[in-house]
Amino acid sequence: MSEIVTLIPGDGIGPAITEATVRVLDAAGAGLQWEECLAGVAAIDEYHSPLPDGTLASIRKNRVALKGPLTTPVGTGFRSINVALRKEFDLYANVRPARTLQHGARYDDIDLVLIRENTEGLYVGVEHYIGIGDDSKAAAESVMIVTRHGAERIVRYAFDYAVRNGRRKVTLVHKANILKFTQGLFLDIGRRIAEEYEGRIEFDDRIVDAAAMRLVLDPYQFDVLVMENMFGDILSDLMAGLVGGLGMAPGANIGHDAAIFEPVHGSAPDLAGTGVANPTAMILAGCMLLDHLGRQPVADRVRMAIEDAIRAGESLTPDLGGSHGTDAFAAAVIARLG
Ligand code: NAD
């Protein structure tokens, strides 16, 4: 049966890596029917809105979307559409695996999964300037929100993910030494939920700065990591660096009623139009979408073809040390689908 999936190509390198991804998934026989919609800068020209109603309606109807990166203006302009989508559909769990596909690099056999709380923390967007005297921007403050509900459901998601996927350990990453209320609550809740999984899944916790250092020195001591929103944003880029960079890191945004799959990276304005962006992260996001739809055998075939293409080494994009383009790499993956 063919499943309808909302497809948002996105901005910058988005359209090129999306086209490559669709070619690979179609060639693998994924059996997906794409409903293409606009969002981000690309939507403003046509709809005068970065998040048109039609795009929201399509995701609401299909309940699954594959999304390219969306540009967010820095400092001024509209707020992040990525954050808006996560809020709109309450996509509370951001799942970001980092797995070695290019062997013989700085680290080998990395297999980590970061679970990031996706709706709270500093991303609630409660921030404002504080005026003093003549200076209307004398100070600025942002509010970090951690709720019992939000912390419980993300930590529970991490443990259930670990059980479902045969993982051994969950590490809760926090900053409860300094942020004693917000991060203290997150840690307390984590410790309590960990007791429910005792004997099945190991548990430990790490302060975020020490976790960053340990991830670089010895990533193998970790397995599944769970944390609040901002720490997850930062450490997932670090983890992408352990497996070859942002071109290799996919992500899933999961809620009860919808799920949106995307690469971890952004629209890479420095690469837009060059034709050499690595489509791997986006193709792997497509594989996570297939897993979600219960089509894991197809997803595994695509993952294996990617690994083979990278191992063969002749069609690599510059970020992986090659000199080939997005389309050539996609063609190499398709040739290895078997
Ligand atoms: P970025 O992730 O776009 O790029 C960071 C670096 O990684 C750049 O050097 C880029 O060339 C490289 N890179 C990224 N993707 C790559 C790929 N597929 N192949 C090879 N190299 C790749 O981060 P940025 O430059 O800080 O952000 C650009 C825009 O993207 C901003 O507007 C930001 O808000 C947005 N953004 C969107 C998302 C999203 O849609 N989920 C995520 C992060 C950033």
Side-chain angles (χ1 to χ4, degrees):
M1 198 187 66
S2 136
E3 196 98 29
I4 307 176
V5 174
T6 302
L7 182 70
I8 302 171
D11 301 317
I13 60 171
I17 58 172
T18 300
E19 198 192 312
T21 299
V22 167
R23 273 174 54 211
V24 170
L25 297 184
D26 287 352
L32 303 173
Q33 203 180 314
W34 304 105
E35 192 166 281
E36 193 167 326
C37 294
L38 291 181
V41 174
I44 293 179
D45 290 343
E46 208 166 320
Y47 296 100
H48 308 291
S49 159
L51 189 52
D53 290 344
T55 301
L56 290 174
S58 171
I59 299 171
R60 200 164 290 122
K61 171 174 68 75
N62 298 330
R63 299 163 63 106
V64 275
L66 181 62
K67 186 187 81 58
L70 300 174
T71 297
T72 307
V74 175
T76 56
F78 60 83
R79 281 192 177 275
S80 166
I81 300 307
N82 300 306
V83 174
L85 283 169
R86 292 165 193 167
K87 274 191 189 151
E88 176 70 27
F89 295 104
D90 196 22
L91 306 174
Y92 67 94
N94 189 189
V95 181
R96 295 184 158 184
R99 201 165 73 81
T100 300
L101 291 174
Q102 188 177 32
H103 298 280
R106 188 182 315 239
Y107 296 100
D108 221 332
D109 297 325
I110 297 282
D111 182 10
L112 299 168
V113 182
L114 186 147
I115 312 268
R116 165 188 177 191
E117 202 293 319
N118 220 12
T119 57
E120 300 191 338
L122 288 168
Y123 284 68
V124 291
V126 180
E127 59 171 357
H128 52 256
Y129 291 112
I130 298 167
I132 300 176
D134 291 342
D135 187 354
S136 61
K137 295 184 179 175
E141 66 182 7
S142 294
V143 179
M144 174 185 266
I145 304 281
V146 173
T147 67
R148 180 176 297 284
H149 169 71
E152 275 179 0
R153 69 178 177 172
I154 196 63
V155 174
R156 203 174 287 288
Y157 186 94
F159 275 98
D160 288 341
Y161 178 96
V163 170
R164 256 195 334 273
N165 292 281
R167 314 291 303 213
R168 83 192 143 81
K169 178 165 104 168
V170 171
T171 300
L172 185 149
V173 176
H174 61 86
K175 190 73 184 175
N177 52 331
I178 302 298
L179 301 169
K180 292 184 190 292
F181 288 64
T182 47
Q183 290 298 297
L185 179 62
F186 195 83
L187 177 58
D188 280 351
I189 288 169
R191 285 183 171 149
R192 192 178 48 68
I193 288 176
E195 287 170 12
E196 296 175 28
Y197 293 82
E198 214 175 310
R200 288 187 289 161
I201 303 290
E202 279 175 52
F203 174 74
D204 63 4
D205 69 87
R206 294 270 174 254
I207 293 174
V208 61
D209 38 339
M213 185 270 297
R214 283 165 178 265
L215 272 166
V216 172
L217 277 186
D218 177 21
Y220 306 103
Q221 64 189 265
F222 296 98
D223 186 11
V224 175
L225 301 94
V226 63
M227 64 203 73
E228 69 86 37
N229 212 332
M230 177 77 86
F231 297 160
D233 185 29
I234 297 167
L235 288 192
S236 58
D237 270 32
L238 184 154
M239 279 170 36
L242 301 177
V243 295
L246 284 169
M248 305 296 282
N253 301 281
I254 310 279
H256 287 299
D257 301 320
I260 300 181
F261 300 83
E262 63 182 350
V264 166
H265 63 71
S267 53
D270 53 327
L271 291 182
T274 62
V276 296
N278 183 352
T280 302
M282 183 85 176
I283 303 172
L284 290 172
C287 292
M288 293 180 82
L289 182 150
L290 290 171
D291 290 340
H292 179 78
L293 294 176
R295 298 179 188 189
Q296 199 179 351
V298 186
D300 285 344
R301 239 161 33 85
V302 175
R303 282 189 274 252
M304 223 177 298
I306 293 174
E307 206 164 338
D308 285 352
I310 291 175
R311 192 177 295 116
E314 78 254 13
S315 305
L316 301 182
T317 46
D319 58 313
L320 296 184
S323 57
H324 293 268
T326 310
D327 293 342
F329 181 74
V333 174
I334 291 169
R336 285 167 177 81
L337 278 171

